[in-house]
Amino acid sequence: MATYKAPLREIDFVLNDVLKVEQLSKLPGFEDATPDTLLGLIEEAAKLIEDKIAPLNAPGDAQGCTIKDGVVTVPDGLAEAYKLYWQAGWVSLCNPTEYNGQGLPFTLSKVVDELLCSGNVAFALYPGLTMGCFEAIHATASDEIKNTYLPKLGNGEWTGTMCITEPHAGSDVGAAKTKATPNGDGSYSIEGGKIFITSGEHEMAENIIHFVLARLPDSPPGVKGLSTFVVPKYLVNKDGSLGARNKLKAMNIEHKMGINASCTCVMQFDGAQGWMVGAPNTGIQNMFVMMNLARILVGLQGLGQCELATQNAIRYAQDRKQGKAPNGKEQIIEHADVRRMLLQMKATTEGARVLAYETGLYVDIAHKHPDAAVREEAQDWVDLNTPLVKSFCTDSAFDLGSMAIQVYGGHGFITEHGVEQIARDSKILCLYEGTNGIQAMDLVRRKLMMNGGRLPQRFFAKVREALKTAGAEFAYISKPLAAAVDDLEATTKWVQQSYKSTPDDASFGCVDFQRAFCLTYLGYNWLRMAQAAAQHKDAGFRQAKHATALFFAQRMLSQVSALLANVRNPAAELMQLDAANF
Ligand SMILES: Cc1cc2nc3c(=O)[nH]c(=O)nc-3n(C[C@H](O)[C@H](O)[C@H](O)COP(=O)(O)OP(=O)(O)OC[C@H]3O[C@@H](n4cnc5c(N)ncnc54)[C@H](O)[C@@H]3O)c2cc1C
């Protein structure tokens, strides 16, 4: 079975030595969020997750969810663990205090998300979707609706869903057909089917609040004709008590490759009573409020799985004896090829952690900083980083899950060792909340183009500023990073131009472009980590960070130029290949 120990020293290093998290406590409303308080809370979360939630990961995967007569049963122990989790206040960490939240920084909740998603990523989806639903209602609904639903969503007592996908409407959300007909009393009658709905039905909470994308009778076609509705499983009376069961049910649950403890439901709305939130036909904007933060959360899910794969592979390789390395030692960690894999896992996970936490910090600054110009810049970073965090952390989770199996050899393929579950659980992260191909399109088509190309310019400027302060002892990374950033900037200009004239070229290369951008960002992270680690009091920590930074500079950053050369290759001839002749 895979085991999990929260990487507290690493988290402390990233938050304090690299990202200077003390800046959070200078933001209005976060005065109490000092580094010591944050680390104390992270330690507490780690204990609960290691002791109570991670042990349910393998058994939950084996048992899975079941459905009978529309009632979904989750694996043993999950309901009790969920109750413990929300009652201890972990769901409500960064929610506003007026809705039973604790008003703590988003950054802190992302660190806790990482821990939870290492311990049990399937479990993490129950609070994760609840928070997404909370955010969407909070951003769009009237006070009456907020007061009805948010106090119990805000503390996690009720859970939430996001009902977007239909059989013919996946990436193309605008194809959704679910109908919303006015009832004449301010409510709407929701009719239609949704598929793949995470946490759509279960008995872990006394009510489930569905956030549903549907179409008004007179709405225009496509995304411009979608509206959003709050549709509770049980209607809520004026005094807050629960009323009748609403007309919706789970018709089935999906049988999946992974995250088997998370119920993925086929939902049918048969004239269910719902209430519109936001203005008519603004559903896509309302959904994006939730989706943007949800994409960062999915990135954290990926990071959690990267960490789980990496720490288990390292422990196994330190212990397993096989053959003799040239130094005479027998543990497989002494073999150069195993070492290559472990260093790639460490370089990826630790570099991705800085990207993910930094994005969390920018979310807090964008919400709270008193200076509008600083808020605007922070929001630019959030916008730019969202597809990077989502795609890089999740692609890496699947890759590192596979690499962990490779490190274990044939034993990795055997269920009992638990690392094959990481690969199975991680694949979905590359698919939902917009596939990673859709993230790349978002990066190329929107984020590079927004505000006259201001977003990537901020990144290039920041990296060049960091390069200026890098002393000669960091030339092993600063030199390849300088080359990567020059190449990335030139290719960014090429993409910005070519998207207008030959959109297929830009689209063909967008996944390679996204990866090159992420690797360059990780180069920037590794430069900062190498500099900060050089001051660290622990010699072992210093040595490990230096070796991992060197590995990243020599063997991962070097991939940027090949990826960017791919991006600039014309695609016209490839696009002419007839679909039937593939
Ligand atoms: C376990 C699980 C849980 C889920 N949870 C939820 C949930 O809670 N709520 C919810 O609403 N949905 C949920 N989903 C749905 C998920 O978000 C969709 O599966 C996802 O958005 C992709 O849609 P699709 O499966 O229809 O694939 P498609 O859209 O058919 O995509 C197939 C392929 O085509 C590519 N593609 C599609 N369009 C384009 C384009 N314009 N340009 C380039 N490439 C393109 C995609 O990148 C992909 O590679 C879940 C799915 C699963 C499997």
Side-chain angles (χ1 to χ4, degrees):
M1 197 165 97
T3 53
Y4 176 60
K5 192 94 195 100
L8 295 175
R9 180 171 70 165
E10 196 59 41
I11 290 170
D12 180 357
F13 172 71
V14 173
L15 287 178
N16 287 307
D17 300 354
V18 182
L19 297 177
K20 313 289 176 213
V21 77
E22 74 261 15
Q23 60 184 300
L24 277 180
S25 60
K26 303 199 172 85
L27 296 175
F30 287 162
E31 292 78 6
D32 294 336
T34 60
D36 283 351
T37 304
L38 297 182
L39 286 178
L41 286 166
I42 292 165
E43 268 177 44
E44 246 184 80
K47 264 189 238 145
L48 175 68
I49 291 163
E50 287 169 1
D51 295 348
K52 303 283 185 208
I53 299 174
L56 302 174
N57 192 34
D61 175 54
Q63 188 181 351
C65 300
T66 51
I67 184 166
K68 193 160 182 262
D69 300 329
V71 177
V72 173
T73 306
V74 299
D76 297 342
L78 226 67
E80 294 78 5
Y82 181 71
K83 194 169 177 192
L84 205 63
Y85 194 74
W86 78 257
Q87 288 192 337
W90 296 111
V91 179
S92 62
L93 221 47
C94 70
N95 292 339
T97 46
E98 69 261 40
Y99 298 116
N100 282 338
Q102 298 174 59
L104 284 160
F106 181 79
T107 312
L108 171 67
S109 77
K110 292 311 103 183
V111 177
V112 174
D113 284 336
E114 181 205 318
L115 306 183
L116 188 63
C117 296
S118 287
N120 193 331
V121 69
F123 173 91
L125 265 59
Y126 295 96
L129 268 294
T130 301
M131 280 311 87
C133 185
F134 176 94
E135 280 147 9
I137 297 175
H138 186 249
T140 54
S142 65
D143 282 347
E144 191 185 344
I145 288 184
K146 284 189 200 174
N147 291 334
T148 305
Y149 298 102
L150 293 191
K152 288 193 173 179
L153 267 180
N155 66 4
E157 189 171 347
W158 294 349
T159 63
T161 75
M162 165 155 84
C163 296
I164 304 174
T165 306
E166 298 179 14
H168 47 277
S171 304
D172 183 10
V173 173
K177 288 182 183 154
T178 297
K179 284 190 298 191
T181 312
N183 290 329
D185 61 357
S187 73
Y188 290 78
S189 183
I190 311 292
E191 198 97 34
K194 297 278 178 183
I195 60 165
F196 296 164
I197 304 308
T198 301
S199 324
E201 175 57 36
H202 56 77
E203 302 288 307
M204 285 165 56
E206 62 176 16
N207 206 359
I208 301 175
I209 311 305
H210 302 281
F211 197 72
V212 183
L213 208 53
R215 200 172 279 289
L216 295 169
D218 53 352
S219 66
V223 285
K224 293 193 173 137
L226 294 169
S227 304
T228 33
F229 300 84
V230 171
V231 188
K233 173 176 168 182
Y234 289 101
L235 300 173
V236 182
N237 298 322
K238 285 228 171 324
D239 64 0
S241 61
L242 295 186
R245 172 88 196 227
N246 210 347
K247 292 182 189 151
L248 59 95
K249 73 185 268 199
M251 307 300 286
N252 210 344
I253 55 171
E254 305 292 352
H255 300 283
K256 313 192 290 289
M257 171 180 176
I259 56 164
N260 289 320
S262 161
C263 48
T264 310
C265 302
V266 178
M267 300 298 297
Q268 186 63 34
F269 296 85
D270 281 325
Q273 201 177 3
W275 286 264
M276 184 153 61
V277 291
N281 302 328
T282 61
I284 199 72
Q285 292 93 304
N286 305 337
M287 271 289 172
F288 261 99
V289 170
M290 156 149 97
M291 241 174 329
N292 281 329
L293 293 176
R295 285 176 175 179
I296 297 174
L297 170 62
V298 177
L300 267 300
Q301 293 173 357
L303 176 62
Q305 291 287 292
C306 286
E307 173 61 36
L308 188 65
T310 303
Q311 61 170 258
N312 276 279
I314 292 172
R315 278 196 292 271
Y316 186 81
Q318 285 167 334
D319 191 48
R320 167 84 172 162
K321 289 182 181 165
Q322 204 65 193
K324 253 196 183 98
N327 65 6
K329 293 187 180 163
E330 293 177 357
Q331 283 82 2
I332 61 170
I333 199 167
E334 303 294 341
H335 295 305
D337 185 53
V338 174
R339 204 157 262 245
R340 167 189 64 80
M341 291 189 274
L342 297 177
L343 279 166
Q344 183 167 336
M345 296 176 89
K346 266 175 77 64
T348 303
T349 304
E350 293 168 21
R353 182 173 285 114
V354 179
L355 170 63
Y357 289 7
E358 185 159 62
T359 306
L361 265 178
Y362 282 127
V363 170
D364 283 321
I365 296 169
H367 285 161
K368 293 273 183 184
H369 203 283
D371 182 337
V374 177
R375 286 201 303 277
E376 182 184 80
E377 172 167 357
Q379 189 56 48
D380 278 358
W381 281 93
V382 175
D383 291 339
L384 176 67
N385 286 10
T386 299
L388 306 183
V389 175
K390 198 284 182 178
S391 65
F392 187 80
C393 296
T394 62
D395 280 340
S396 299
F398 186 59
D399 291 348
L400 299 196
S402 166
M403 205 170 257
I405 297 171
Q406 199 70 23
V407 169
Y408 277 63
H411 297 272
F413 198 68
I414 306 299
T415 309
E416 182 190 328
H417 285 284
V419 284
E420 54 84 46
Q421 189 190 341
I422 303 175
R424 287 189 293 102
D425 281 354
S426 293
K427 188 60 210 176
I428 183 58
L429 314 179
C430 313
L431 303 170
Y432 59 25
E433 287 305 338
T435 65
N436 286 354
I438 297 293
Q439 303 302 316
M441 308 275 267
D442 176 47
L443 176 66
V444 162
R445 289 183 182 178
R446 291 188 60 238
K447 305 305 169 63
L448 294 193
M449 309 296 175
M450 278 163 72
N451 301 318
R454 187 172 78 190
L455 278 53
Q457 284 311 322
R458 291 203 194 273
F459 174 74
F460 303 137
K462 200 65 138 200
V463 178
R464 294 210 168 93
E465 203 180 295
L467 284 168
K468 273 193 223 146
T469 67
E473 69 272 35
F474 301 106
Y476 69 90
I477 184 159
S478 62
K479 270 195 169 174
L481 177 59
V485 84
D486 286 348
D487 200 356
L488 184 66
E489 183 166 16
T491 309
T492 298
K493 286 189 184 131
W494 181 91
V495 172
Q496 285 163 332
Q497 288 303 320
S498 85
Y499 187 68
K500 290 173 200 148
S501 52
T502 50
D504 275 341
D505 284 347
S507 300
F508 212 94
C510 66
V511 165
D512 282 339
F513 179 81
Q514 180 166 254
R515 181 155 178 88
F517 211 120
C518 293
L519 287 172
T520 309
Y521 203 127
L522 258 71
Y524 167 51
N525 297 347
W526 270 110
L527 173 63
R528 289 182 289 169
M529 279 197 279
Q531 289 173 305
Q535 314 296 323
H536 204 277
K537 57 184 185 305
D538 183 327
F541 188 87
R542 283 202 303 276
Q543 191 194 28
K545 275 281 177 278
H546 172 73
T548 317
L550 188 62
F551 178 92
F552 185 85
Q554 291 179 343
R555 286 152 211 273
M556 292 179 73
L557 199 45
S558 49
Q559 295 164 17
V560 169
S561 63
L563 287 164
L564 293 177
N566 282 351
V567 174
R568 295 188 298 265
N569 271 330
E573 208 180 329
L574 304 175
M575 292 305 291
Q576 276 161 20
L577 171 57
D578 194 303
N581 292 334
F582 259 76

